[in-house]
Amino acid sequence: MSRNERGVYIAPSVKKTFVPLENNPAIFTELIHSLGVSPQLAFYDIYSLSDPDLLALIPKPLHALIFISPADVYHRVREIDAGTKNLTYSGSGDQEPVIWFKQTIGHACGLIALLHSVCNGSARRFITRDSTLEKLLREATPLKPLQRAEVLYNSDELEKAHMAVAFKGDSVAPLAAEPNGYHFISFVQGKDGHLYELEGSWDGPIDRGAMGLGEDVMSEKALEAGITRFVKAAEGNMEMSMIALCTKPEDD
């Protein structure tokens, strides 16, 4: 297995493999800013889905959620989901309710969840003009999923931005060659007002149903349709975690 100067591995299958991101809101925030998202947005830890005092710590408006699931919990939920790991989705263009990226880069599930979070819903208007991310979106949006995935795979700027933060955080970064047992899943509101569950290793975006007027992805209805399904499947496994993409308070 070869490795380039940034620490990106090329597996024997010739698949590019990144060092996985730590689930750390500071790391995710630094990465979206380097890609061209306005400094008005940031990621924040979610410590509870039910404690009012802890929920009050999450700034509003809230644009997206990223849920990190252990592999065993993830597979329990997917066993009862309609769908497959084989690509079936063929959407493209501005008429899609959400833009979805198939993951073809190894260990990039955190990066793909980040992209799904900032490129959809109310967060998308915070992408700055002519930034790396705006240029990637401009190129990728008209394309079908496999061609869209190639845009991300071949982007040197995206690789540089990811690897610049991959070795930061509170823990020792694993090597790209090491196995990774977690799935990063983004929850966003689509243009059609529905809740979407987005993950690059599934067969396409998962429509979790209509959201109520004025609801965000942390509403009781949205949580029941999305994250709560994983929490129930966890059967006491506490390895899961969540972060929220929010507009920063003025005093932050």
Side-chain angles (χ1 to χ4, degrees), residues 66-87:
I66 294 179
F67 180 77
I68 298 85
S69 173
D72 60 331
V73 176
Y74 169 84
H75 289 300
R76 281 186 212 125
V77 173
R78 287 291 180 255
E79 283 174 1
I80 58 175
D81 274 334
T84 171
K85 285 201 167 191
N86 299 317
L87 179 65

Side-chain angles (χ1 to χ4, degrees), residues 31-178:
L31 181 50
I32 62 171
H33 292 168
S34 71
L35 290 172
V37 175
S38 164
Q40 292 176 267
L41 295 193
F43 282 95
Y44 295 84
D45 278 314
I46 299 173
Y47 298 108
S48 172
L49 295 176
S50 58
D51 186 307
D53 293 332
L54 294 176
L55 288 171
L57 298 175
I58 304 170
K60 295 295 182 80
L62 189 154
H63 305 283
L65 296 178
I66 294 179
F67 180 77
I68 298 85
S69 173
D72 60 331
V73 176
Y74 169 84
H75 289 300
R76 281 186 212 125
V77 173
R78 287 291 180 255
E79 283 174 1
I80 58 175
D81 274 334
T84 171
K85 285 201 167 191
N86 299 317
L87 179 65
T88 61
Y89 183 69
S90 61
S92 64
D94 287 325
Q95 300 308 309
E96 291 178 287
V98 289
I99 186 167
W100 177 78
F101 299 102
K102 179 171 176 58
Q103 181 184 336
T104 55
I105 303 167
H107 292 353
C109 53
L111 173 64
I112 298 298
L114 177 151
L115 293 175
H116 283 147
S117 297
V118 297
C119 294
N120 286 295
S122 52
R124 182 162 177 157
R125 68 175 183 269
F126 290 89
I127 298 173
T128 56
R129 185 177 178 84
D130 292 325
S131 64
T132 296
L133 189 51
E134 197 270 341
K135 291 174 183 176
L136 283 173
L137 271 177
R138 194 187 311 156
E139 183 179 359
T141 298
L143 303 176
K144 296 291 186 181
L146 289 178
Q147 291 71 37
R148 187 180 284 172
E150 287 181 12
V151 172
L152 302 187
Y153 192 96
N154 295 326
S155 173
D156 192 59
E157 291 300 315
L158 188 62
E159 179 182 308
K160 285 193 293 186
H162 176 103
M163 295 304 291
V165 301
F167 292 98
K168 297 182 179 182
D170 298 325
S171 58
V172 177
L175 296 175
E178 295 179 27

